[in-house]
Amino acid sequence: MERIDIELIRNFESLIANSSKSIVVIPHTNPDGDAMGSVLGLWRVLKNAGFKVKVVSPTKYPEFYHWMDGHDEVIIFSHHPKQSARALEESNLIICMDFNQLSRLGEMRPLIENYPGKKILVDHHPYPGNFTDLIISDITFSSTAELIFSVLQSTSLAQFIDRDAATSFFTGIMTDTGSFDFNVSNPNTFEVVAQLTRMGIDQLDIHSKVYDNYSADRMRLMGFCLSNRMTVYPEYHAASMYITLEDQKAFNFKTGDNEGFVNMPLSIKGVVFSVLFTEKEKYVKVSFRSKGEFAVNEVSEKYFNGGGHRNAAGGEFYASLPEALDQFEKLLPEFEDRIKKSIK
Ligand code: 5GP
Ligand code: MN
């Protein structure tokens, strides 16, 4: 049996083939490697196939993804709202990637909600919302990048996947699996990586461009947070970390500088549940990670206005940082039994 329903693939192909104007591809707000890898890879394939195609991102994304093919052409909605609106007006098909709810578009939401043309969603999060004409959504894929690559491979667009597109797709798979550390329970992921490798990607170079591209300030902030901002709760097999606005100022914080911090406490023996609080001007950004069965998206949905995957989720908390930390400590007993199921 085909892993992706053939009917969905045919619909995907025909919506694209019938788009008489240009196509706009859209990631979620604060896009990560998978969102940008999926979007820029698809952008390249559609462009190679002769379509007029643009990428509009709700917000900017970390500098360690700026080397990617197509970065120079991405329109950032938060910086260029008029140009973004024009790109949408000139199109009649949008493809939303790596998110499952309109709320993940932040301030760009109304533009997409009221969009008069056709819409496609390609995503791998649970509970996809019903806001597009076509939904290609499957949680058994490691990443949206793996999913879109598999979809494209079953269409006539497959011939247009070049090395640049393959490089973007690999970036998405690599970052969403933490370099093949999690989300890789399906062997298909490695089959896709084998195919991308045959297309000539340079895996070591991609890894180095993403992970060996941090500033000294970011390394120092990480050391500071590990020393001064981390609490371990051994009885709950949990750990928390936080970064205040003041800390961000002290270490010249740039978008993406906290990426990966939330994973670090999981390498402490016995810890299977980790949370990172990053203070923002108007709210607190929350990131969760877990190992094994314990579903952090449930915690995020119930207490932090968020969602995500079983082992990687996030949300937003509209109160102060101390209140967020307090909320976290109070919820630990509720989840104690479920956390303990993750201990092997
Ligand atoms: P991160 O912790 O890397 O920001 O996000 C991990 C995962 O959590 C993302 O891939 C996404 O699925 C989910 N996520 C992060 N932030 C939010 C949010 O504010 N709302 C929702 N619904 N999901 C989020
Ligand atoms: Mn993803």
Side-chain angles (χ1 to χ4, degrees):
M1 208 188 82
E2 286 287 333
R3 195 156 165 226
I4 309 161
D5 190 281
I6 196 72
E7 194 69 16
L8 293 178
I9 291 178
R10 293 297 154 248
N11 281 343
F12 175 82
E13 257 192 308
S14 74
L15 279 170
I16 289 175
N18 293 332
S19 72
S20 49
K21 294 161 102 182
S22 76
I23 301 171
V24 177
V25 194
I26 300 169
H28 55 76
T29 185
N30 299 318
D32 59 3
D34 187 30
M36 288 321 294
S38 303
V39 158
L40 291 174
L42 179 60
W43 168 83
R44 171 51 68 197
V45 172
L46 293 174
K47 215 169 145 71
N48 288 349
F51 291 96
K52 268 183 80 181
V53 46
K54 287 190 172 153
V55 174
V56 177
S57 172
T59 60
K60 60 186 170 61
Y61 48 93
E63 274 177 24
F64 46 82
Y65 297 127
H66 288 190
W67 57 272
M68 289 171 77
D69 172 45
H71 159 71
D72 293 342
E73 299 197 24
V74 175
I75 306 167
I76 308 288
F77 169 78
S78 54
H79 289 53
H80 302 284
K82 283 196 199 123
Q83 205 187 335
S84 303
R86 210 175 318 125
L88 285 161
E89 275 160 26
E90 289 167 359
S91 72
N92 60 359
L93 174 67
I94 56 176
I95 306 177
C96 298
M97 305 189 84
D98 200 40
F99 61 94
N100 56 356
Q101 300 161 12
L102 283 167
S103 60
R104 298 282 285 139
L105 289 165
E107 314 238 312
M108 197 170 125
R109 176 182 180 148
L111 268 188
I112 304 311
E113 210 165 10
N114 305 319
Y115 183 73
K118 295 281 184 194
K119 300 176 200 162
I120 300 176
L121 172 68
V122 183
D123 183 40
H124 71 134
H125 292 94
Y127 323 117
N130 197 8
F131 58 92
T132 54
D133 301 279
L134 173 67
I135 302 173
I136 301 183
S137 171
D138 190 331
I139 62 164
T140 68
F141 283 77
S142 67
S143 49
T144 301
E146 182 193 333
L147 175 58
I148 187 62
F149 177 79
S150 306
V151 169
L152 290 170
Q153 282 289 59
S154 308
T155 69
S156 56
L157 292 166
Q159 59 185 307
F160 300 107
I161 307 177
D162 61 9
R163 187 172 179 266
D164 285 334
T167 297
S168 295
F169 294 141
F170 181 79
T171 306
I173 298 171
M174 179 188 78
T175 53
D176 250 27
T177 61
S179 300
F180 308 95
D181 190 21
F182 45 80
N183 285 349
V184 280
S185 48
N186 194 306
N188 189 66
T189 307
F190 296 99
E191 276 158 17
V192 165
V193 170
Q195 292 178 57
L196 295 172
T197 308
R198 282 191 201 99
M199 291 175 171
I201 62 164
D202 186 339
Q203 292 177 49
L204 294 179
D205 185 53
I206 297 168
H207 192 278
S208 173
K209 279 179 171 143
V210 174
Y211 294 114
D212 304 334
N213 212 351
Y214 293 121
S215 64
D217 280 328
R218 186 257 184 188
M219 291 300 281
R220 293 201 168 93
L221 172 66
M222 182 191 279
F224 172 80
C225 289
L226 288 171
S227 283
N228 302 296
R229 301 286 185 246
M230 184 175 76
T231 306
V232 181
Y233 305 87
E235 66 279 31
Y236 295 111
H237 303 274
S240 70
M241 204 190 280
Y242 65 90
I243 312 173
T244 67
L245 281 168
E246 222 169 90
D247 299 341
Q248 293 165 46
K249 207 165 158 218
F251 290 92
N252 297 312
F253 189 89
K254 288 212 212 77
T255 309
D257 273 0
N258 57 350
E259 200 141 304
F261 284 23
V262 65
N263 294 303
M264 307 205 72
L266 290 181
S267 53
I268 300 169
K269 192 173 173 175
V271 172
V272 295
F273 177 28
S274 169
V275 60
L276 171 72
F277 298 98
T278 307
E279 189 178 20
K280 305 267 179 185
E281 289 295 345
K282 292 184 184 140
Y283 66 101
V284 180
K285 177 74 205 167
V286 193
S287 269
F288 294 99
R289 295 293 184 273
S290 69
K291 281 186 186 170
E293 269 183 56
F294 180 53
V296 283
N297 49 3
E298 289 174 15
V299 182
S300 189
E301 270 160 37
K302 188 162 177 190
Y303 290 107
F304 295 96
N305 306 302
H309 307 276
R310 184 183 70 179
N311 297 126
E316 290 169 356
F317 189 73
Y318 291 89
S320 70
L321 180 61
E323 283 167 297
L325 288 162
D326 196 44
Q327 170 92 304
F328 178 69
E329 292 190 354
K330 283 198 180 123
L331 65 78
L332 282 171
E334 178 185 335
F335 291 94
E336 183 171 3
D337 291 346
R338 273 173 272 178
I339 298 172
K340 285 189 174 150
K341 283 198 181 137
S342 276
I343 312 288
K344 288 232 166 97

